[in-house]
Amino acid sequence: MDVAIRRADRNDRELVVRVLDEAFQGDPVSGWVFPGEEHRRATHHRLMAAFADTVLAEGRIDLVEDGTACALWLPVPAAPVAESAAPAAPAGAADAPAGAADAPAGAADAAGDEAETLRQEVDPENGRVELIARLMAEAHPADRAHEYLWMIGVVPGHQGRGLGTALIRPVLERCDREGLPAYLEASSPRSVPLYERLGFAALDRTLDLPDGPRMWPMWREPRG
């Protein structure tokens, strides 16, 4: 599929936020974080804006030229880890990393502070904003540098047309050239097979939100 893609900059911020907001309004994880459709429609975009600001500053956002889809990538450096056994790797991911729980206490404290700040900025009375940020940080692999596909969103009406794959492939090709792994969390079971076709494999643990949906952390080793 021939898709025109460009790197977003600060001038594209509002477009990126709109794409993410529209794409994730019906997502099970967004529905858990912001229960109640009216509240979600009034507040969800603030979380997407916070994510977009972080990635515009520290990573890269790839945007389909017609504004129908975008992907947020963040480079994650390796962090020192305590010596402990790594969790069992899934089939096809023999070199899967240790979990973030093995990271130094200082890193965990910093992640907690960031989660609290996120809640205050997005929805101060909503503890789920802070909780999901903490849980995702705890589940995130820490001991190997990698590219993190933080979010990929396609607006309704354009889903199922291969836009997501078109956005992801160029970055994975670069990861293969540079020998760099990649990581993501699938937020719905129907997206897991898509990522598997791109070389990702589910880790041996899921991220189960309290009284909520399940997320699937997935890891991809670079291909030779």
Side-chain angles (χ1 to χ4, degrees), residues 129-186:
V129 173
E130 180 175 343
L131 178 57
I132 192 171
R134 290 178 180 271
L135 292 175
M136 291 175 68
E138 290 171 2
H140 200 123
D143 66 339
R144 293 176 63 190
H146 58 275
E147 284 287 340
Y148 175 32
L149 178 55
W150 193 341
M151 301 188 79
I152 182 165
V154 181
V155 300
H158 293 268
Q159 297 170 0
R161 300 182 181 180
L163 295 178
T165 299
L167 281 165
I168 295 172
R169 280 195 187 281
V171 178
L172 295 184
E173 290 171 359
R174 177 174 60 81
C175 286
D176 290 341
R177 291 194 301 270
E178 298 178 1
L180 197 63
Y183 172 76
L184 58 83
E185 301 102 353

Side-chain angles (χ1 to χ4, degrees), residues 1 18 25 46 56 64 70 92 112 119 129 155-156 177 187 193 207:
M1 182 180 183
R18 177 182 61 77
Q25 278 288 331
R46 298 179 195 164
L56 283 169
V64 174
C70 64
R119 174 177 58 82
V129 173
V155 300
R177 291 194 301 270
S187 61
L207 200 168

Side-chain angles (χ1 to χ4, degrees), residues 108-133:
D109 292 342
D113 292 343
E114 292 174 359
E116 182 179 359
T117 299
L118 181 67
R119 174 177 58 82
Q120 294 292 346
E121 292 178 353
V122 172
D123 195 3
E125 302 303 319
N126 186 354
R128 289 185 176 184
V129 173
E130 180 175 343
L131 178 57
I132 192 171

